[in-house]
Amino acid sequence: MEWDQQQENQLQNQREENGVMYVKVMTDEQLETLRKQIAVYASICEQLVEMHKNLTAHQDLTGGRLENLYCDPLMTSGGHKISARQRWTPTAVQLQILERIFEEGSGTPSKQKIKEITSELSQHGQISETNVYNWFQNRRARSKRKQVVVAASSNNKNGAESEVEIEVESPKTKPENLLLLPQAQQDACFQNPDITSQLHFLGGSYHIYDQHAWQGE
Amino acid sequence: MEWDQQQENQLQNQREENGVMYVKVMTDEQLETLRKQIAVYASICEQLVEMHKNLTAHQDLTGGRLENLYCDPLMTSGGHKISARQRWTPTAVQLQILERIFEEGSGTPSKQKIKEITSELSQHGQISETNVYNWFQNRRARSKRKQVVVAASSNNKNGAESEVEIEVESPKTKPENLLLLPQAQQDACFQNPDITSQLHFLGGSYHIYDQHAWQGE
DNA sequence: TCGGTATGAATGAACG
DNA sequence: CGTTCATTCATACCGA
């Protein structure tokens, strides 16, 4: 990593006075804190990678039951009618696209827009305009009352001592499922610079996350 | 980030000599460097999370669903363990109350009511409005769908704490492993960009049920 | 420990 | 649009 390039213009914080050079400084402890934070991030990355691996592997191995795309009408043994699913299930790619469109743009896509979107999505799987329409309707309705209760908000009760106990445990802790947090929470993770909050989920004392999209009132 | 709070007790690294205070320090540039490192990590994490999301989504389409956490350190009285789990589990008392309300107030849970109920139930264990909402949703849906496929065999077991009136619910879902198709295709889907062709043969035949009353334009 | 069942949660579709 | 229904996924829990 190379940010050294920018170091130069950081020296503006120095100040000389009476022959003594003053600099805004950081003590070792603070430094240590930072290091820990970095360590935490490193840890997070590590675990995320691990997670990623597992997921990938999982898909390959037990990718088992995925019947997503409308399966073939051909029924094999049994003679039962397995038939296609009734409900459309967006594929990963489609979801990504939809999500993106949803975020960037305007709230309600026009009919025309829907056609375009549908058209694009159809490149990634079976889909109909109705599906798209419904998706947006639902997405909107549900996101409206969706709120994530991010826990682990800072709790600087004891003044100076911000116990940053990073117990960066090695993945020995039975990582099979840990930190598979809802993305909402994940997002929060990165919007919140306070790493201590992340320590929580790393340490296992994750907090609740709640709500989805119902309650209006 | 705020380490300012820690400044106070960090000064142990100070040292006075000849009337001049020396401190082991870190200049802003160094600090900045560290910050950048953290930022980089944050960025990496972010990307990893993104990746994870995608993967999760993939799994979604393949049948998987994501998971969320929900933990509760307390939650006793149901005779269950205290392990922090992912899914809310109503306690016996909560169930009684819910069941009672379901029978009488039946029909429409109304948001306001849910809040009240939640409030009441929260005195008997961890719970959220969403839980209540879901419970009613499920309760209604399931009591409705009474497909009696199984002759309810003698089901008269009286446990120790038989305070709960178990309804005559026996929707034997009979997990017929329907739609278990080779997922090899699935995998290929994501490794192979041009699945389209396959999709065609897969989904081209039947069109999902469509139609609706939305089209305006 | 493993397999099946009960049920909380997620979400596409539909209704008023 | 907001709310509700229906279906499905995932997991807690139970019995052998």
XYZ file of all heavy atoms in Angstrom, chain D residues 3-15:
261
model
P -49.728 -0.348 5.499
O -50.304 0.083 6.784
O -48.276 -0.592 5.377
O -50.528 -1.639 5.024
C -51.912 -1.505 4.676
C -52.520 -2.856 4.432
O -52.149 -3.345 3.127
C -52.095 -3.944 5.424
O -53.242 -4.706 5.769
C -51.088 -4.761 4.645
C -51.579 -4.634 3.217
N -50.551 -4.738 2.144
C -50.812 -5.546 1.071
O -51.831 -6.198 0.945
N -49.817 -5.568 0.124
C -48.628 -4.880 0.144
O -47.822 -4.982 -0.775
C -48.413 -4.050 1.312
C -47.149 -3.271 1.443
C -49.377 -4.016 2.240
P -53.038 -5.907 6.810
O -54.237 -5.914 7.665
O -51.689 -5.882 7.398
O -53.141 -7.156 5.825
C -54.204 -7.197 4.868
C -54.121 -8.446 4.032
O -53.106 -8.310 3.018
C -53.776 -9.719 4.816
O -54.670 -10.756 4.382
C -52.341 -10.010 4.415
C -52.280 -9.459 3.006
N -50.953 -9.038 2.510
C -50.577 -9.457 1.261
O -51.268 -10.154 0.548
N -49.337 -9.017 0.866
C -48.472 -8.232 1.575
O -47.393 -7.905 1.096
C -48.929 -7.827 2.887
C -48.059 -6.976 3.739
C -50.136 -8.245 3.279
P -54.538 -12.206 4.982
O -55.903 -12.657 5.331
O -53.464 -12.229 5.990
O -54.073 -13.027 3.719
C -54.754 -12.830 2.474
C -54.098 -13.677 1.393
O -52.831 -13.098 1.016
C -53.813 -15.111 1.818
O -54.151 -15.975 0.746
C -52.316 -15.112 2.087
C -51.815 -14.080 1.098
N -50.568 -13.382 1.467
C -49.503 -13.352 0.554
O -49.615 -13.939 -0.519
N -48.376 -12.668 0.877
C -48.293 -12.045 2.047
N -47.165 -11.365 2.312
C -49.353 -12.062 2.996
C -50.465 -12.745 2.669
P -54.143 -17.549 0.982
O -55.257 -18.122 0.214
O -53.999 -17.851 2.427
O -52.785 -17.946 0.252
C -52.517 -17.408 -1.033
C -51.223 -17.977 -1.581
O -50.097 -17.204 -1.102
C -50.965 -19.415 -1.159
O -50.441 -20.104 -2.285
C -49.955 -19.291 -0.023
C -49.186 -18.029 -0.395
N -48.710 -17.236 0.734
C -49.341 -17.010 1.926
N -48.691 -16.209 2.740
C -47.558 -15.879 2.028
C -46.461 -15.042 2.327
N -46.331 -14.359 3.469
N -45.490 -14.925 1.414
C -45.616 -15.597 0.251
N -46.598 -16.405 -0.147
C -47.543 -16.502 0.797
P -50.052 -21.643 -2.117
O -50.460 -22.311 -3.360
O -50.484 -22.153 -0.794
O -48.466 -21.540 -2.134
C -47.848 -20.701 -3.103
C -46.355 -20.711 -2.900
O -45.996 -19.801 -1.830
C -45.781 -22.074 -2.513
O -44.635 -22.304 -3.319
C -45.436 -21.931 -1.057
C -45.104 -20.450 -0.942
N -45.245 -19.816 0.395
C -44.327 -18.873 0.764
O -43.400 -18.535 0.057
N -44.515 -18.328 2.011
C -45.517 -18.619 2.888
O -45.565 -18.051 3.971
C -46.468 -19.621 2.440
C -47.586 -20.020 3.328
C -46.287 -20.156 1.232
P -43.897 -23.694 -3.232
O -43.623 -24.116 -4.618
O -44.573 -24.600 -2.284
O -42.518 -23.238 -2.580
C -41.929 -22.026 -3.022
C -40.796 -21.633 -2.111
O -41.313 -20.988 -0.912
C -39.928 -22.807 -1.633
O -38.563 -22.464 -1.840
C -40.263 -22.935 -0.161
C -40.643 -21.509 0.221
N -41.530 -21.335 1.400
C -41.226 -20.358 2.296
O -40.278 -19.603 2.177
N -42.078 -20.279 3.380
C -43.180 -21.053 3.618
O -43.852 -20.876 4.626
C -43.454 -22.068 2.618
C -44.620 -22.959 2.800
C -42.633 -22.160 1.562
P -37.491 -23.585 -1.629
O -36.721 -23.674 -2.882
O -38.073 -24.792 -1.026
O -36.596 -22.869 -0.530
C -36.286 -21.483 -0.673
C -35.636 -20.976 0.594
O -36.643 -20.787 1.620
C -34.592 -21.922 1.180
O -33.475 -21.168 1.646
C -35.321 -22.593 2.330
C -36.286 -21.489 2.788
N -37.534 -21.954 3.430
C -37.944 -21.347 4.619
O -37.249 -20.450 5.108
N -39.089 -21.751 5.206
C -39.819 -22.718 4.646
N -40.938 -23.071 5.255
C -39.416 -23.356 3.427
C -38.275 -22.938 2.853
P -32.208 -21.899 2.174
O -31.069 -21.066 1.773
O -32.265 -23.326 1.813
O -32.357 -21.777 3.745
C -32.653 -20.506 4.304
C -32.738 -20.635 5.812
O -34.029 -21.175 6.185
C -31.689 -21.574 6.403
O -31.255 -21.017 7.625
C -32.459 -22.865 6.618
C -33.858 -22.356 6.958
N -34.955 -23.246 6.608
C -35.046 -24.082 5.528
N -36.176 -24.752 5.479
C -36.880 -24.318 6.596
C -38.141 -24.631 7.112
N -38.979 -25.500 6.544
N -38.537 -24.018 8.240
C -37.709 -23.143 8.813
N -36.486 -22.754 8.426
C -36.135 -23.386 7.297
P -30.090 -21.698 8.411
O -29.131 -20.637 8.730
O -29.671 -22.928 7.725
O -30.826 -22.082 9.768
C -31.614 -21.110 10.443
C -32.457 -21.775 11.510
O -33.507 -22.565 10.923
C -31.676 -22.719 12.418
O -32.204 -22.582 13.724
C -32.041 -24.079 11.869
C -33.495 -23.838 11.524
N -34.116 -24.778 10.589
C -35.419 -25.138 10.847
O -36.052 -24.730 11.800
N -35.957 -26.021 9.936
C -35.352 -26.551 8.831
O -35.961 -27.314 8.101
C -33.992 -26.136 8.619
C -33.235 -26.661 7.451
C -33.444 -25.287 9.494
P -31.242 -22.587 14.963
O -30.762 -21.211 15.130
O -30.280 -23.711 14.859
O -32.252 -22.911 16.158
C -33.428 -22.137 16.287
C -34.546 -23.005 16.835
O -35.037 -23.883 15.806
C -34.129 -23.898 18.002
O -35.151 -23.873 18.993
C -33.983 -25.277 17.377
C -35.002 -25.224 16.239
N -34.639 -26.033 15.087
C -33.443 -26.048 14.420
N -33.437 -26.864 13.387
C -34.702 -27.419 13.371
C -35.324 -28.352 12.520
N -34.720 -28.913 11.468
N -36.600 -28.696 12.787
C -37.207 -28.132 13.835
N -36.731 -27.243 14.708
C -35.462 -26.921 14.408
P -34.933 -24.633 20.322
O -35.733 -23.927 21.344
O -33.487 -24.847 20.534
O -35.635 -26.013 20.028
C -36.937 -26.033 19.433
C -37.394 -27.463 19.253
O -36.895 -28.000 18.011
C -36.920 -28.418 20.357
O -38.012 -29.231 20.733
C -35.842 -29.233 19.675
C -36.353 -29.285 18.254
N -35.335 -29.536 17.216
C -35.684 -30.358 16.140
O -36.812 -30.832 16.095
N -34.762 -30.593 15.175
C -33.548 -30.049 15.261
N -32.694 -30.303 14.289
C -33.182 -29.215 16.365
C -34.092 -28.982 17.312
P -37.828 -30.141 22.050
O -38.658 -29.547 23.119
O -36.383 -30.405 22.316
O -38.492 -31.491 21.561
C -39.391 -31.475 20.439
C -39.366 -32.840 19.770
O -38.355 -32.872 18.729
C -39.032 -33.981 20.732
O -39.887 -35.080 20.464
C -37.596 -34.312 20.407
C -37.547 -34.025 18.919
N -36.214 -33.717 18.392
C -35.817 -34.301 17.179
O -36.582 -35.052 16.582
N -34.579 -34.011 16.689
C -33.774 -33.192 17.355
N -32.580 -32.934 16.825
C -34.158 -32.599 18.597
C -35.378 -32.892 19.076
P -39.991 -36.189 21.583
O -41.405 -36.204 22.015
O -38.899 -36.045 22.579
O -39.706 -37.500 20.731
C -40.380 -37.694 19.487
C -39.622 -38.716 18.660
O -38.375 -38.143 18.198
C -39.249 -39.980 19.451
O -39.460 -41.110 18.619
C -37.773 -39.774 19.746
C -37.304 -39.013 18.514
N -36.104 -38.201 18.699
C -35.807 -37.392 19.765
N -34.661 -36.760 19.638
C -34.176 -37.193 18.408
C -32.979 -36.862 17.729
O -32.078 -36.103 18.084
N -32.873 -37.527 16.507
C -33.808 -38.398 16.004
N -33.536 -38.935 14.823
N -34.929 -38.713 16.628
C -35.049 -38.080 17.819
